[in-house]
């Protein structure tokens, strides 16, 4: 077995491993998106009162409000125009911080791995026909 054939076999193994891992990551990212759903940006207003703080926002054609915990209130930087995120399927759910980036990271890793699989496949095919 010459060097070109050896590299071709190694490229094929890398391609299969990267393809399986990449498709697995993309499937996980898709499942997270289906289960969690998209979060949309909105402007929220924080109102401080005697009974505590309340956050109010407009989403999906209606106004919503909920009480803030003291920990959430401590992280509010601009009570008049606080950037918030609500769940598209359930506009009553609100976060005062950006949704976790885990889904995005898993999706990017999946795309990179599938790209590596494509490059390794092309390299293996070229070496198979040239060598």
């Amino acid at each position: 077995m010459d060097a070109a054939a050896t590299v071709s076999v190694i490229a094929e193994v890398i391609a299969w491993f990267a393809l399986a891992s990449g498709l697995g990551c993309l499937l996980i990212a898709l499942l997270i998106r289906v289960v969690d759903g998209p979060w949309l940006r909105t402007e929220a207003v924080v109102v401080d009162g005697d009974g505590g703080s309340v956050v109010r926002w407009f989403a999906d054609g209606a106004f919503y409000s909920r009480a803030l915990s003291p920990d959430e209130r401590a992280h509010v930087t601009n009570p008049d125009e606080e950037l918030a995120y609500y769940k598209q399927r359930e506009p009553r759910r609100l976060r005062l911080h950006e949704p976790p980036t885990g889904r995005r990271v898993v999706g990017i890793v999946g795309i990179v791995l599938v790209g590596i699989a494509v490059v390794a496949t092309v390299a293996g095919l070229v070496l198979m026909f040239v060598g």
Side-chain angles (χ1 to χ4, degrees), residues 8 11 15 24 29 52-53 56-57 59 63 65 69 77 81 84-85 92 96 98 107 115-116 122 124:
S8 177
S53 298
R56 294 183 179 144
W57 69 97
F63 285 100
S65 67
S69 69
T77 56
E81 295 179 11
Y85 300 87
R92 293 187 184 279
L96 294 178
E98 191 170 351
I116 290 171
V122 169

Side-chain angles (χ1 to χ4, degrees), residues 12-83:
E12 184 177 351
V13 170
I14 290 172
W16 280 110
F17 177 76
L19 182 65
S21 301
L23 291 178
C25 286
L26 291 174
L27 180 64
I28 290 170
L30 178 66
L31 289 174
I32 292 171
R33 179 166 178 89
V34 167
V35 170
D36 194 30
W39 289 81
L40 304 176
R41 283 176 117 172
T42 189
E43 294 289 328
V45 176
V46 177
V47 179
D48 296 319
D50 294 335
S53 298
V54 175
V55 62
R56 294 183 179 144
W57 69 97
F58 182 77
D60 206 29
F63 285 100
Y64 298 95
S65 67
R66 73 168 174 86
L68 285 179
S69 69
D71 186 45
E72 287 178 315
R73 179 60 180 103
H75 293 291
V76 172
T77 56
N78 186 1
D80 294 331
E81 295 179 11
E82 183 67 24
L83 183 61

Side-chain angles (χ1 to χ4, degrees), residues 69-125:
S69 69
D71 186 45
E72 287 178 315
R73 179 60 180 103
H75 293 291
V76 172
T77 56
N78 186 1
D80 294 331
E81 295 179 11
E82 183 67 24
L83 183 61
Y85 300 87
Y86 69 92
K87 196 167 184 176
Q88 185 176 17
R89 292 183 200 153
E90 301 173 52
R92 293 187 184 279
R93 291 190 55 194
L94 184 80
R95 293 180 172 178
L96 294 178
H97 54 84
E98 191 170 351
T101 59
R103 169 183 27 186
R104 197 173 335 153
V105 170
V106 171
I108 290 171
V109 168
I111 290 170
V112 167
L113 286 172
V114 169
I116 290 171
V118 169
V119 169
T121 300
V122 169
L125 287 173

